[in-house]
């Protein structure tokens, strides 16, 4: 046990800067991807609840297509495939940073799930709300923006936070394209110290602290929403 504590102290003393930097990169990627995923999910969620069959088909193709591709494959396609195709075409020697590729891959992946969250949230609002707004002369877009979406988003907040948690954990997959997140930092530290037990224990605790904090936040928000609905 003393040897484990000594190893823990040495790793934290030598690599705390790397771990904190990796934590910052992980949170940055997660936040950026969730912002873009929110916009993507809202757009395709609205397509999926549209009365137009063509728009429904477009939304369904996106959601089913992206959800059917593993995130690792999507990351490889964006990071290696797209730049390779552009460079091979002779247009330019195009390169993409791991942050940009990771953000795109994670945004597309999370956006597909966010689209389903938006679809379910919008459909959970009583249809009478839309009918009442339309009967007052409001166009469909204004009725959706001013009446339906505000009510739907209140019920979707816990699910959005849960998606944030999922996206945070999914960032570990992006170590395959060299993005400097926590898991890649753990791999480097474990290789340098030859102490995988303590290193991966530290990484696991870092993930646990963040994810448990977000889970608590989701429960607090859900309770407040339920209290507001009860009133």
């Amino acid at each position: 046990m003393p040897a484990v504590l000594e190893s823990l102290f040495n790793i934290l003393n030598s690599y705390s800067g790397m771990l904190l930097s990796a934590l910052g990169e992980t949170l940055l990627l997660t936040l950026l991807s969730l912002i873009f995923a929110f916009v993507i999910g809202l757009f395709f969620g609205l397509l999926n609840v549209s009365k137009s069959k063509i728009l429904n088909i477009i939304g369904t193709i996106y959601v089913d297509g992206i959800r059917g591709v593993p995130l690792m494959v999507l990351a490889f396609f964006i990071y290696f495939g797209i730049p390779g195709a552009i460079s091979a075409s002779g247009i330019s020697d195009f390169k993409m940073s791991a942050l940009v590729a990771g953000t795109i891959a994670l945004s597309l992946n999370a956006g597909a799930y966010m689209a389903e969250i938006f679809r379910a949230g919008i459909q959970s609002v009583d249809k009478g709300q839309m009918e009442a707004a339309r009967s007052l002369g409001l166009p469909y877009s204004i009725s959706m923006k001013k009446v339906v979406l505000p009510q739907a988003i209140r019920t979707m907040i816990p699910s959005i936070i849960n998606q944030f948690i999922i996206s945070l954990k999914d960032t570990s997959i992006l170590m395959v394209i060299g993005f400097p997140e926590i898991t890649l930092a753990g791999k480097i530290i474990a290789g340098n110290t030859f102490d995988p037990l303590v290193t991966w224990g530290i990484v696991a605790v870092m993930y646990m602290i963040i994810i448990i904090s977000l889970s608590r936040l989701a429960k607090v928000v859900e309770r407040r929403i339920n209290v507001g609905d009860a009133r």
Side-chain angles (χ1 to χ4, degrees), residues 139-197:
Y140 178 85
S141 59
I142 300 299
S143 300
M144 181 64 70
K145 179 182 178 181
K146 298 292 187 180
V147 178
V148 178
L149 277 178
Q151 298 181 64
I153 289 177
R154 290 185 65 220
T155 64
M156 291 187 295
I157 289 176
S159 298
I160 291 173
I161 295 176
N162 287 332
Q163 183 58 49
F164 186 91
I165 294 171
I166 293 170
S167 296
L168 176 65
K169 291 190 288 186
D170 284 347
T171 58
S172 62
I173 298 174
L174 298 176
M175 67 175 287
V176 298
I177 61 172
F179 183 75
E181 44 72 56
I182 301 175
T183 305
L184 181 59
K187 182 180 178 181
I188 294 172
I189 294 170
N192 290 343
T193 61
F194 300 101
D195 194 343
L197 175 64

Side-chain angles (χ1 to χ4, degrees), residues 25-193:
E25 294 286 345
T26 300
L27 293 175
L28 174 63
L29 175 62
T30 307
L31 183 60
L32 287 175
S33 64
L34 191 67
I35 292 172
F36 289 117
F38 186 91
V39 176
I40 294 170
L42 175 59
F43 177 75
F44 285 99
L46 291 174
L47 293 187
N48 285 333
V49 298
S50 172
K51 294 181 180 179
S52 170
K53 289 185 179 181
I54 296 177
L55 296 180
N56 290 160
I57 291 172
I58 294 173
T60 300
I61 290 174
Y62 169 77
V63 172
D64 291 346
I66 294 296
R67 291 172 68 177
V69 178
L71 178 58
M72 185 182 295
V73 176
L74 185 61
F76 278 141
F77 176 79
I78 294 171
Y79 187 64
F80 295 109
I82 294 177
I86 295 175
S87 298
S89 67
I91 298 175
S92 65
D93 186 17
F94 181 74
K95 293 183 180 180
M96 186 181 298
S97 69
L99 176 60
V100 172
T103 301
I104 295 172
L106 201 57
S107 298
L108 291 173
N109 180 267
Y113 292 94
M114 290 285 284
E116 287 297 283
I117 293 173
F118 274 102
R119 179 193 59 77
I122 291 171
Q123 291 180 339
S124 69
V125 178
D126 191 285
K127 292 182 179 179
Q129 297 290 320
M130 174 62 78
E131 293 172 356
R134 296 303 301 276
S135 67
L136 293 174
L138 295 176
Y140 178 85
S141 59
I142 300 299
S143 300
M144 181 64 70
K145 179 182 178 181
K146 298 292 187 180
V147 178
V148 178
L149 277 178
Q151 298 181 64
I153 289 177
R154 290 185 65 220
T155 64
M156 291 187 295
I157 289 176
S159 298
I160 291 173
I161 295 176
N162 287 332
Q163 183 58 49
F164 186 91
I165 294 171
I166 293 170
S167 296
L168 176 65
K169 291 190 288 186
D170 284 347
T171 58
S172 62
I173 298 174
L174 298 176
M175 67 175 287
V176 298
I177 61 172
F179 183 75
E181 44 72 56
I182 301 175
T183 305
L184 181 59
K187 182 180 178 181
I188 294 172
I189 294 170
N192 290 343
T193 61

